Amino acid sequence: MSMVIGFMKVQEDNYLKMAGTARHDREMAMQAKKDLSTCSDPVEKLRLQCLSRGSAGIKGLGRVFKIMDDDNSRSLDFKEFLKGLSDYGVMIDKVEAQQLFAVFDKDGSGTIDFDEFLVTLRPPMSNARKDIIMQAFRKLDRTGDGIVTIEDLRGVYNAKYHPKYQNGEWTEDQVFRTFLDNFDSPYDKDGQVTPEEFTNYYAGVSASIDTDVYFITMMKSAWKL
C-alpha cells in the first residue's frame, strides 16, 4: 500500500511513507459508510459518520466545536452541541442527539467537556498504538513545545526534493504547510498540529488496521522510529 505524502531529512532523497493517503482514507470511508447502515448505537453512529469523511473526520468535528466555544470554556450545552453537529453536516435527529449528549453529560450539569467527548469518540486504541503515535509526534515536535508548526518541519524535512518545489510551483513553506494540512480539518486549517489533533488523525487510520503489530510496524517505518 503506497503511503507516500512527504519527505524526511534522514537521507537527502528519502521519501516519508505515511498512512493516511487518499487510497487509505477511501478504504476507511467506504467501510465506515457500510457499517453505518447496520449501526444503532448513537456514539458509534456519530463516530462512523466522522470516519466516513476520512482520517481527519473526528478532528474536523473538534474544530467546529472549538470555533463555537466563544468563551474558551471548552464545554458545550445541548443547543451548542446540536448546532455544532448540524454545522458539520452530521445526520442525526434531535432525539438521537439528546441520547448522545446524555452519554457524555455524566454529571447531569447540562454541559459536556468537548475534549473528553472527542477522546471518547475516537475509535478505541490499545496503549501500544497510543504510545507509538506519541513517539512520532515527539519526533516531529522538534522544539518540544507541544505544537508542530512549519518551524518544526524545517529541522525534519527537506522540501527541496518535493516535485512541486523543484518545478517552481511551490515554495518551501508551501510544501511544509501542505504536509501539516494532512492532519487538519478541511474547514479550518491553521498550520498547527497539537498532540490531540495528531492522535485524532491516527485514530482514524488505526480504525482500518486490525492488528497492533501491523499498525506499530507501519508507524515505525513511516517515521523512522
Side-chain angles (χ1 to χ4, degrees):
M1 185 183 298
S2 176
M3 301 175 184
V4 177
I5 67 169
F7 300 85
M8 202 159 195
K9 198 175 181 180
V10 176
Q11 297 177 351
E12 288 286 288
D13 58 352
N14 271 0
Y15 287 97
L16 171 63
K17 294 182 180 180
M18 193 180 76
T21 60
R23 176 185 173 185
H24 199 283
D25 274 2
R26 280 198 303 270
E27 291 172 354
M28 182 181 60
M30 289 173 61
Q31 186 61 48
K33 288 174 183 176
K34 181 179 178 181
D35 292 344
L36 258 174
S37 63
T38 57
C39 180
S40 59
D41 178 80
V43 176
E44 183 65 14
K45 282 179 73 173
L46 179 57
R47 178 184 292 141
L48 289 170
Q49 286 202 52
C50 289
L51 292 179
S52 70
R53 298 167 183 241
S55 298
I58 292 173
K59 181 175 176 290
L61 180 58
R63 286 281 188 184
V64 172
F65 285 162
K66 185 177 181 180
I67 292 168
M68 296 184 63
D69 183 29
D70 294 329
D71 60 358
N72 292 316
S73 65
R74 305 197 72 78
S75 64
L76 299 170
D77 61 25
F78 179 69
K79 184 178 179 181
E80 292 170 326
F81 177 73
L82 196 60
K83 186 176 187 307
L85 294 179
S86 175
D87 287 352
Y88 196 54
V90 172
M91 304 297 293
I92 188 170
D93 61 39
K94 191 171 182 179
V95 173
E96 283 185 320
Q98 287 172 329
Q99 293 173 339
L100 190 59
F101 190 85
V103 171
F104 296 100
D105 182 19
K106 296 181 175 63
D107 59 2
S109 65
T111 61
I112 61 173
D113 180 299
F114 67 71
D115 287 322
E116 292 182 7
F117 167 74
L118 291 172
V119 168
T120 305
L121 193 59
R122 290 175 191 158
M125 290 190 294
S126 67
N127 288 333
R129 295 194 190 204
K130 293 175 185 176
D131 288 346
I132 199 73
I133 290 169
M134 288 313 301
Q135 285 182 44
F137 182 86
R138 286 191 292 269
K139 183 163 187 176
L140 268 184
D141 182 20
R142 189 171 58 89
T143 57
D145 63 356
I147 298 174
V148 174
T149 63
I150 285 176
E151 291 306 312
D152 286 302
L153 296 185
R154 292 190 202 284
V156 179
Y157 286 88
N158 190 338
K160 294 178 181 179
Y161 288 87
H162 194 289
K164 290 195 176 183
Y165 177 86
Q166 291 183 334
N167 67 20
E169 185 176 346
W170 286 357
T171 64
E172 283 190 348
D173 279 5
Q174 285 176 306
V175 174
F176 294 145
R177 181 59 188 268
T178 299
F179 172 79
L180 291 176
D181 284 351
N182 282 289
F183 303 98
D184 228 336
S185 164
Y187 306 103
D188 182 30
K189 298 180 185 297
D190 63 1
Q192 298 183 345
V193 179
T194 66
E196 291 76 18
E197 291 168 341
F198 196 74
T199 302
N200 283 339
Y201 176 87
Y202 270 111
V205 175
S206 173
S208 62
I209 296 176
D210 292 333
T211 69
D212 284 358
V213 171
Y214 178 78
F215 183 81
I216 291 168
T217 300
M218 178 273 293
M219 291 292 290
K220 285 183 174 180
S221 174
W223 295 102
K224 310 298 183 200
L225 299 174

